[in-house]
Amino acid sequence: MESAVPEVRQLLASVIGSDAVDSLADDDRFFDDHVIDSLQLMELVDAFQSRFGIDVSGEDLSPENFGSIAGMVQFLTSRRGTSASSG
Amino acid sequence: MDYAQRLDHLLRSAAERSPDKIAIESDQVSLTFGALDAAADRVAAELAGQGVRLGDRVGIHLEKSVEAVISLYGAMRAGAAYVPLDATAPPARTAYIATDCDIAALVSTPSLIAALRDVDPAAAPRGIAVGSPCPDGFTDWDEAHSQERAAPTRQTVDADLAYILYTSGSTGQPKGVAISHRSSLTFVRWAHQALDLTESDVFSSHAPLHFDLSTLDFFGSAAAGGTVALVPADAMMFPARLVEWIVEKGITVWYSVPSALTMIVRYADLEPGSLNRLRLVLFAGEVFPIRYLRELMPLAAQARFFNLYGPTETNVCTYYEVREIPSADDPPLPIGRPCENTRCEVIDESGRPLTDVGAEGELVATGTIVAQGYWGDPERTAERFQGDDSFRTGDIVQVLEDSPVPQYRFVGRRDHLVKSRGYRIELGEIEAALYSHPAVEECVAVAVPDEVIGNRLAAFCAAQQGTDSEDLGRACRERVPGYMVPEQIVVVDALPRTPNDKYDRPQLTERAARIIKERRED
């Protein structure tokens, strides 16, 4: 199965712009580097829910799941019921 | 009793009354009033030793932190006005601000200092550096704090400047609103009494230092002898974490822009009463969407809810208490009545007062609450500041009641100033940032009303062939803070004009609204 990294990057780009996403590593924490503010995060969650058809509860909305590209990929992959594979 | 002439006296009095009480806490550190007071003295002594004199300006260029708060008190105690500089803003804009107000010293980190010096060495001449290696001309923070030091003696008056807050300027550069101790204390005293702030209150500090909401958090808590707790970075982002933090810290006074609270309502899955420790919920900066307020109020059923209103130039000049949960079809919340120590009136275009219920005109605030003016800009000051102590807000309001106490509702602006995420933004400053790109021939920035964040920003640019909107976005990001960068920048062949040959802003705003809506539904 394909990694979800490109999908997540594309989604993030729709909120903060693709040049901002290009300069992010998968592990960079969003709130350390001010790449995203709290309202953009809410937009990201709304977009995530509508694009992937996955409900995000208050508990799901955590630094682990939405604090970095890698975290989002892992969350998306686990919700789709498959494990992430590289590449 | 007149308990203070200066904001830094509030801290000194609290330290004398209750030296061992916690004044401020972050997720790493907490300081008692005694320790905060002594630390502010050491910063003042260090700044004075570096040549900072009465009437100078000192930049505070740090993330919001206990160090930043010590520094702002230290700057005032050295007789200077503090100038908060956004640590996340582009260095070019920050350097402009630092040189515009001719800062005498700066408290900052080595990497931020280096970035400013790259733009303009005069933006970071000397000061105190938090972290290592300590840059040339700066004193290391720990060294400045290695021994007890007394603050310098200054012949101060309450008309001295306390701080300068820079806001977006229509000519393309930010402008500094110069606030005296007297003006800020007028607000602090009002809040202390009207909101009945006490020493058992725990205040949240959510707004950044360069945003005027932060003055209630710091100086209101000092006046009351209460504790202020800095919202940690992860709680700023994640609603469930924020709620946990509010409960854990026992926050009793919350003050923020409405969007921080709508975030909680929309994403934190809370039971009624989850926020029952909150005693006061204060919001300002934008209109609170009724439907989210209806959901918020039951979560904090013990709290009183206040909508505070006032541009930076007037601190807070009117307030409205939301006494009951509003109905879903209620009109937007009023901005309410003038603060007890401030006069307000509504005038028409020729300056005549309007008092009829239903009349709409510009709100003018009068009293010691009003700022001194715009730093170094007598012309713009004269346009808006009148007499000794009146300010024309540029906000159009409707008179809801006239006597015995007037009540108002905000209806719009006279000019191109818009609010987004609680920040005031001059569309002209965004346009100036876009014009800095050599390929841009013409551009117009527009604001599309949004229920949650106030306004969403977009821009249309007529630019040379082959110009990419990503490039224009980058040009913007180098000049203005993130909240001012348009989320959509559209490159067009030509901008539409009205029959009078002005840009057709309404048409462009409609077009932007469609684009934003499509993208969000994508």
Side-chain angles (χ1 to χ4, degrees), chain B residues 24-31 36 39-40 43 47 59-75 107-109 128-131 140-142 145 209 218 230:
Chain B
I24 182 167
E25 49 188 338
S26 70
D27 51 352
Q28 284 118 23
V29 201
S30 67
L31 283 188
L36 177 58
V43 167
L47 292 171
I60 313 291
H61 194 209
L62 294 169
E63 303 265 340
K64 191 165 60 182
S65 56
V66 170
E67 287 84 355
V69 178
I70 294 170
S71 302
L72 63 88
Y73 277 115
V107 186
S108 188
T109 65
I128 304 173
V130 181
D140 178 72
W141 177 270
D142 293 331
H145 286 268
L209 289 179
F218 298 119
L230 311 182

Side-chain angles (χ1 to χ4, degrees), chain A residues 14 16 18-19 31 34 36-43 45-46 51 57-59 61-63 66-67, chain B residues 63 88 233-234 236-240 259 263 266-269 421 452-453 456 470 474 477 519-520 522:
Chain A
S14 74
I16 64 170
S18 55
D19 59 317
F31 53 87
H34 307 284
I36 185 166
D37 69 20
S38 57
L39 291 159
Q40 289 172 321
L41 179 68
M42 299 309 118
E43 276 179 32
V45 171
D46 289 345
R51 177 148 330 164
S57 69
E59 208 166 298
L61 180 50
S62 65
F66 282 90
Chain B
E63 303 265 340
T88 66
D234 60 340
M236 292 287 278
M237 294 287 284
F238 297 98
S259 47
M263 242 173 65
R266 291 177 64 202
Y267 295 98
D269 306 334
R421 296 156 203 266
V452 175
I453 69 168
R456 292 173 174 275
E470 292 286 343
R474 261 190 294 275
R477 265 186 285 278
R519 201 210 65 187
R520 297 192 75 210
D522 181 15

Side-chain angles (χ1 to χ4, degrees), chain B residues 4-222:
Chain B
Q5 274 200 311
R6 293 172 59 88
L7 293 168
D8 47 301
H9 293 173
L10 298 174
L11 171 60
R12 179 59 50 83
S13 316
E16 283 167 1
R17 283 197 312 270
S18 31
D20 299 324
K21 185 149 191 295
I22 298 296
I24 182 167
E25 49 188 338
S26 70
D27 51 352
Q28 284 118 23
V29 201
S30 67
L31 283 188
T32 62
F33 277 108
L36 177 58
D37 187 62
D41 274 353
R42 292 191 287 265
V43 167
E46 175 60 33
L47 292 171
Q50 292 188 18
V52 171
R53 293 171 306 174
L54 180 64
D56 280 351
R57 274 77 51 209
V58 171
I60 313 291
H61 194 209
L62 294 169
E63 303 265 340
K64 191 165 60 182
S65 56
V66 170
E67 287 84 355
V69 178
I70 294 170
S71 302
L72 63 88
Y73 277 115
M76 292 191 288
R77 209 161 263 180
Y82 76 86
V83 185
L85 300 166
D86 181 357
T88 66
R93 191 175 196 262
T94 306
Y96 171 84
I97 294 173
T99 51
D100 181 62
C101 67
D102 190 20
I103 59 161
L106 186 70
V107 186
S108 188
T109 65
S111 60
L112 288 170
I113 292 164
L116 281 186
R117 283 181 164 175
D118 278 349
V119 181
D120 184 349
R126 66 190 75 76
I128 304 173
V130 181
S132 55
C134 188
D136 283 349
F138 279 73
T139 300
D140 178 72
W141 177 270
D142 293 331
E143 197 184 310
H145 286 268
S146 59
Q147 52 181 338
E148 288 304 310
R149 299 165 81 173
T153 311
R154 299 287 192 228
Q155 294 298 316
T156 57
V157 291
D158 65 356
D160 293 338
L161 286 192
Y163 47 87
I164 304 176
L165 302 180
Y166 276 77
T167 68
S168 178
S170 57
T171 56
Q173 295 291 5
K175 60 177 191 272
V177 180
I179 313 266
S180 66
H181 287 270
R182 180 171 55 205
S183 162
S184 191
L185 281 166
T186 303
F187 166 59
V188 171
R189 287 191 187 111
W190 171 80
H192 192 178
Q193 289 167 13
L195 305 174
D196 193 22
L197 307 177
T198 74
E199 60 180 15
S200 39
D201 277 320
V202 183
F203 296 70
S204 64
S205 165
H206 181 272
L209 289 179
H210 57 276
F211 200 167
D212 69 343
L213 272 68
S214 65
T215 61
L216 176 84
D217 310 337
F218 298 119
F219 308 128
S221 61

